[in-house]
Amino acid sequence: MDNGLQLFENKKIRTAWDEANEEWYFSVVDVVGALTEQSTSRGASNYWAKLKERLNDEGAGQLLTNCQQLKMTAADGKKYATDVASTEQILRIIQSIPSPKAEPFKLWLARVGSERIEETIDPELTIERALETYLKKGYTREWINQRLQAIQVRKELTDEWENRGVTKGIEYAILTDEISKAWSGMTTRQYKNFKGLKKENLRDNMTTLELVLNMLAEATTTEISKEQQPQTFDENKAIAQSGGEVAGIARVEAEKRTGKPVITTQNAVDFSNIITQLIGDSHHDHP
C-alpha cells in the first residue's frame, strides 16, 4: 500500500493506494470530518462512531463489514489503525451524511445512475457520451475513432471468452496480461507503471500506434479462439499468447522501420499538453 494525502477544500484526506487491486482507500474519519466541518479529529471520530450505529440500524451492516483498517499517520506523526473505505464505500457513506457539502456528490450519483438506465434502454447513448467526454479531454477525433473501435474489439474478445467458459474478473485479467506481455513485453500493471498511471484506464493513455497494436493483439486472439474453440483455461491462455505474439511481430517491424520505440511513457496528460501547444502555435501564427 502506498500512503499519501489528498485535499478536499483544503482539508487533508489520508489515502492509500492498493496496487494489487488497483483501488484507492480513504480515511473515513478524514472524509467525515471534512464534510461535517469538524474542528478536531476527536469530533470527526465521534461523528463516525454515531454514523456507524445509524448505518447498522438502517441495515447497512454489510457496508461496515467490508470496511478495512489500515495504519495511517496521524497529526502527532505516529501511525494508528484507522477505518478506511474504497471509493464505492465512501460514496455510500457520503450519502448518509446530511451535509451541504455532500449534496454535489449525491447529485452526481443520481445523474450517473440516471444515465446508466438511459444507456441500458439505448446503448447508442453510451457511445455518444464517450465521444463527448474524450473531446472535452482534448483528444483528437482521429484518436477517438480508434479508441471507440478498440472498445468494440475488446467487447468481441470478452464475448468470445465468455462463450469459452472463461470467468470474468481474475481469469479475464490473467488472459489480458498474457496478451499484453506477448506484444508489449509488459503486464498491464507494468505498462501502467511505465506510463506513470495508477487507476487510470491504460487504453486512454496509449498513443494511436500503441492502441492499434493492442487492438491487433486482441482481434487476433478472438479469431484464433473462434477457429480453435479452446475447452480449457490453459488452452485459452496459449491462444492469448499467440494472438499477442502477432502484434508483437508487428511492433518489432514498426520499430525497425521508424527507428524509434512504439511503447512510450506518453499518457493523457502529455497528449493534452501537445494539443494545447498546437492550439497556441496556431493562434500565434494567425493573430
Side-chain angles (χ1 to χ4, degrees), residues 18-224:
D18 183 348
E19 183 169 306
N21 296 313
E22 298 189 9
E23 184 70 75
W24 278 110
Y25 288 94
F26 303 85
S27 164
V28 180
V29 170
D30 292 353
V31 172
V32 168
L35 291 177
T36 60
E37 298 183 291
Q38 299 292 324
S39 57
T40 65
S41 58
R42 180 174 291 277
S45 296
N46 290 339
Y47 190 102
W48 172 228
K50 292 178 182 177
L51 180 58
K52 279 197 283 189
E53 291 179 7
R54 180 155 59 84
L55 286 169
N56 263 322
D57 292 340
E58 292 173 358
Q62 185 65 31
L63 167 70
L64 300 176
T65 301
N66 290 336
C67 283
Q68 302 181 38
Q69 279 205 332
L70 293 175
K71 283 193 173 183
M72 291 186 158
T73 305
D76 61 6
K78 296 180 181 179
K79 288 183 177 289
Y80 300 97
T82 185
D83 287 342
V84 297
S86 65
T87 304
E88 182 179 357
Q89 291 165 340
I90 280 291
L91 290 174
R92 172 64 182 86
I93 290 168
I94 287 170
Q95 284 183 293
S96 301
I97 299 175
S99 163
K101 291 180 179 291
E103 289 308 310
F105 289 91
K106 294 177 183 178
L107 291 172
W108 179 80
L109 285 172
R111 185 173 69 250
V112 171
S114 174
E115 288 177 358
R116 288 306 299 273
I117 293 172
E118 291 172 1
E119 288 166 5
T120 301
I121 298 170
D122 184 2
E124 191 173 326
L125 289 173
T126 306
I127 298 173
E128 291 176 0
R129 288 191 174 113
L131 177 61
E132 290 173 6
T133 300
Y134 284 127
L135 284 172
K136 288 176 182 177
K137 288 183 176 181
Y139 291 99
T140 64
R141 283 190 175 271
E142 291 76 14
W143 184 94
I144 294 170
N145 288 336
Q146 293 292 347
R147 182 68 182 94
L148 295 179
Q149 182 62 38
I151 292 172
Q152 178 60 31
V153 168
R154 177 68 181 179
K155 180 65 167 58
E156 291 173 359
L157 174 59
T158 55
D159 284 348
E160 174 63 17
W161 281 343
E162 187 175 0
N163 291 338
R164 300 300 162 202
V166 178
T167 306
K168 290 181 180 179
I170 186 63
E171 290 191 346
Y172 276 26
I174 291 171
L175 295 183
T176 300
D177 273 346
E178 291 300 327
I179 294 172
S180 181
K181 284 189 293 185
W183 83 262
S184 72
M186 294 180 283
T187 65
T188 303
R189 183 66 262 168
Q190 290 169 338
Y191 208 151
K192 283 187 174 185
N193 289 343
F194 183 69
K195 284 183 174 286
L197 308 174
K198 287 191 179 292
K199 199 173 177 64
E200 300 92 334
N201 187 294
L202 176 58
R203 293 174 182 80
D204 282 354
N205 290 274
M206 286 181 172
T207 64
T208 299
L209 189 51
E210 286 174 294
L211 200 57
V212 168
L213 287 173
N214 193 66
M215 288 167 58
L216 174 60
E218 294 191 330
T220 304
T221 300
T222 301
E223 291 306 310
I224 296 174

